[in-house]
Amino acid sequence: MNVSSLHEAPPLVVHAAIAAALGLAGLVAVALAEPAFALQGWLAAAFALSAVPIGALGLLLMHALTGGPWQRPLAPILRACCGTLPLFALAFLPVILFPSLLYPWAGSGADDPAIAAKAGYLNPVFFALRTVVYFAIWIALAVLAAGRADAGGARQPGTLAAGIGVILYATTVSFAAIDWAMSLDPRFSSSAFGMLVGICALLAALSFAIPAAAWLGSPAMRAAADDAKVRAALAGLLATGVLLWAYVSFMQYLVVWSGDLPEEAAWYLDRVAGGWMVVPWAVGLLLGVLPVAALCLPAGRRSLQRLAAIAALIFVMRVIEAVWLVLPSFPLESWLQPAAWAAAMLALGAGTFAALLWLWALGFRRGQQEVTQHG
Amino acid sequence: MMRTEATMKAEEWQGALVAEFAEPDALVTALRRAREAGYSRIDAFTPFPVEGAAEALDLREGWLVWVATGGFLAGGALGYLMQWYLNGVNYPINVGGRPLAAWPAFTLPAFEIAVLFAVFAAIAAMLYVDRLPRLNHPLFELERFGLVSRDRFFLAIAPTDPRFEAEGTRAFLAGLGPARIDQVPR
């Protein structure tokens, strides 16, 4: 199974679409009983998974500025990821329509004087408007990043446009992180949070694109990605991403620990309460220590398959960590909640994956047509 | 089995045949040809790291990674221990009721010390492999070998190599197109 055969026999797309439909059915069933539970899961899934197209956009823009051999084999996947941005814009529609089900500043907590003091920024209308603006900017940047094919067949935006794009990108991603995830606990504030989520987005896109190229890519794409220089560059980028993530998330923790203020400690206490305690340990070991050790040892970079396995581990742990940034803010009231969260993850994950495969195959066919026309 | 400079005795180079090249690419090509011809006790000497030379020599100094890892772990442990002793035992200060053994605060300095020790361990291992207490090498007997630190690239084949023959090896080296060939005195 590889992407070149997708338009003839698309079993993976069909399976993903069926899984998405099942997840959506379960989610709708929960939503009829308890809409807040369904929306909680939906927000967590949308926040965790939108990191892939957002990060893909960042990688494409940054590559236009820095260059490097790593981008060429991944570019078709990264562009297909960017193509799912409109889907995620739609996915955030229920979130901006019903913020009162999720955010204390829009619902039960709005009368609290400490939260009411932030109402100039944290209010439903401005929140919805901001999310619309973020997606408008990202989709415009994605069109820019897709670029026009030049004579050599390479697609790349100009340096000036990409430079302005990267600045816009970093600002919007940081604000989006504050709006979607950090404002779940309106008393908590961490100046590192936006940067943390931004780094995580780049890491999510990279750790998604590498296994996708290795396991689903056409033979030519796999061969291009298995070049020793490309492998070394990808391993270096992954290790850099993981180290940056580890540094910023530990610094945030250290600052909160040193400050020792109740409203900031509460955010961490929610996230180590009960079973959630497993997540920081698992993430520290499987997203921090293990990938860095594996990427630093020569054995970890020896083949594309090994690199893809490490990247897949990073991707899975990244999704778990992103979910952990969101869901512990909601008190656990019913067994329906975990079921709704899982259904939402399945619906949005499988649905956007199916769309991504379809876009990728479309891009592949268009690329082939361009090759035949030029050749 | 491939023997490299790191695992060979310095005395093995007495009587070695040394080919001098003016260009790094010529040296890499020569290294590959020598490997293909079955020579295993060979080494390259260059004024700067030459891309492809390590691969052509099949150098796999994998153990260096583990030396650095050992340095990292020792440095990290020492870093925690030092801070624990200073802040918890030797000069305890109560900072706003925080624990004296404050591992979150100790982690960043411990990490820095771990990285420092990893680098120290790797450099110390390199100097050991370079046989540091020993200050000379049989190849220094060659007058032109001093150019190795300027702009010349040398390929040496040790006489302990199973394929080494005084005349045959010299003819083989001549076939690689070197600027000149010298023999290290015994």
Side-chain angles (χ1 to χ4, degrees):
Chain A
M1 162 66 211
N2 65 58
V3 76
S4 59
S5 60
L6 271 182
H7 57 288
E8 291 143 12
L12 197 55
V13 178
V14 174
H15 288 161
I18 292 171
L22 285 176
L24 203 60
L27 194 67
V28 168
V30 178
L32 290 174
E34 195 62 66
F37 294 171
L39 200 55
Q40 290 166 358
W42 191 254
L43 172 69
F47 174 71
L49 299 173
S50 63
V52 173
I54 294 170
L57 176 60
L59 288 176
L60 286 174
L61 288 173
M62 264 183 247
H63 184 268
L65 294 176
T66 61
W70 55 274
Q71 191 248 20
R72 214 175 155 74
L74 300 188
I77 307 167
L78 295 177
R79 277 198 289 268
C81 288
C82 284
T84 61
L85 272 172
L87 273 182
F88 280 99
L90 285 179
F92 270 96
L93 207 55
V95 175
I96 62 174
L97 287 179
F98 308 106
S100 60
L101 294 177
L102 297 169
Y103 297 97
W105 48 263
S108 56
D111 296 332
D112 186 307
I115 296 174
K118 300 182 178 178
Y121 183 82
L122 292 178
N123 64 71
V125 176
F126 194 24
F127 174 78
L129 191 69
R130 285 195 305 266
T131 296
V132 170
V133 169
Y134 301 149
F135 274 104
I137 290 176
W138 293 336
I139 291 170
L141 287 177
V143 173
L144 173 85
R148 289 187 303 273
D150 63 17
R155 296 151 165 275
Q156 193 112 297
T159 314
L160 180 67
I164 296 169
V166 164
I167 294 170
L168 267 176
Y169 169 84
T171 319
T172 47
V173 170
S174 181
F175 274 98
I178 293 167
D179 287 1
W180 297 343
M182 202 171 94
S183 79
L184 283 168
D185 186 344
R187 294 154 193 277
F188 176 71
S189 63
S190 161
S191 54
F193 197 83
M195 189 187 177
L196 179 62
V197 172
I199 292 164
C200 287
L202 297 175
L203 193 57
L206 194 65
S207 62
F208 174 81
I210 294 170
W215 296 338
L216 303 173
S218 62
M221 178 187 257
R222 260 182 269 182
D226 213 354
D227 174 78
K229 268 194 186 138
V230 173
R231 264 198 335 258
L234 290 175
L237 277 173
L238 274 177
T240 309
V242 171
L243 287 173
L244 261 176
W245 162 81
Y247 179 77
V248 176
S249 45
F250 183 76
M251 280 313 285
Q252 175 179 292
Y253 173 72
L254 185 62
V255 166
V256 170
W257 182 89
S258 306
D260 206 16
L261 298 171
E263 56 268 32
E264 292 182 349
W267 189 85
Y268 276 103
L269 290 175
D270 282 345
R271 274 153 189 77
V272 294
W276 290 118
M277 188 65 212
V278 178
V279 179
W281 278 105
V283 162
L285 290 175
L286 299 177
L287 180 54
V289 177
L290 185 67
V292 170
L295 288 166
C296 286
L297 296 176
R301 331 180 152 199
R302 201 156 289 153
S303 72
L304 184 63
Q305 291 303 320
R306 288 188 190 186
L307 207 57
I310 299 170
L313 175 71
I314 292 175
F315 179 75
V316 170
M317 295 316 294
R318 245 309 294 149
V319 171
I320 291 173
E321 196 226 0
V323 167
W324 176 76
L325 291 177
V326 171
L327 287 180
S329 282
F330 306 116
L332 194 64
E333 294 159 2
S334 149
W335 62 268
L336 260 180
Q337 269 168 301
W341 300 344
M345 188 55 87
L346 183 66
L348 198 60
T352 47
F353 185 59
L356 187 139
L357 286 175
W358 182 73
L359 283 168
W360 186 8
L362 207 68
F364 182 81
R365 261 180 287 168
R366 201 174 51 197
Q368 289 234 310
Q369 276 166 8
E370 275 171 14
V371 168
T372 14
Q373 278 163 12
H374 288 120
Chain B
M1 191 202 140
M2 184 67 192
R3 294 286 304 271
T4 57
E5 169 67 16
T7 50
M8 289 168 67
K9 289 195 178 77
E11 287 71 26
E12 286 190 45
W13 294 104
Q14 285 168 357
L17 282 167
V18 182
E20 175 187 323
F21 296 90
E23 298 294 331
D25 292 345
L27 173 78
V28 175
T29 312
L31 283 171
R32 283 208 195 95
R33 296 263 305 273
R35 292 293 311 281
E36 282 160 16
Y39 289 102
S40 55
R41 297 196 167 199
I42 60 178
D43 207 356
F45 302 87
T46 62
F48 52 82
V50 172
E51 200 176 333
E55 287 76 20
L57 275 172
D58 199 21
L59 286 184
R60 290 211 190 127
E61 307 293 2
W63 55 270
L64 197 59
V65 172
W66 298 108
V67 172
T69 307
F72 184 89
L73 294 176
L78 198 71
Y80 274 114
L81 203 67
M82 181 187 77
Q83 294 177 85
W84 169 81
Y85 173 73
L86 286 177
N87 295 302
V89 179
N90 184 267
Y91 201 87
I93 299 178
N94 183 333
V95 184
R98 287 177 193 75
L100 291 174
W103 70 264
F106 294 173
T107 297
L108 277 188
F111 180 77
E112 304 284 347
I113 296 171
V115 171
L116 183 72
F117 272 59
V119 174
F120 276 167
I123 292 177
M126 179 198 76
L127 293 177
Y128 173 75
V129 172
D130 292 346
R131 312 188 183 91
L132 186 64
R134 183 187 175 118
L135 292 175
N136 84 316
H137 189 279
L139 263 66
F140 294 174
E141 299 292 326
L142 297 177
E143 198 183 331
R144 289 187 62 83
F145 191 70
L147 295 173
V148 75
S149 60
R150 291 163 89 189
D151 59 353
R152 292 286 155 149
F153 306 82
F154 294 87
L155 161 62
I157 301 182
T160 49
D161 192 300
R163 301 288 301 268
F164 189 91
E165 301 156 11
E167 290 313 308
T169 302
R170 185 180 281 271
F172 168 77
L173 284 176
L176 299 174
R180 55 182 287 150
I181 300 173
D182 291 300
Q183 184 154 26
V184 181
R186 287 198 179 260

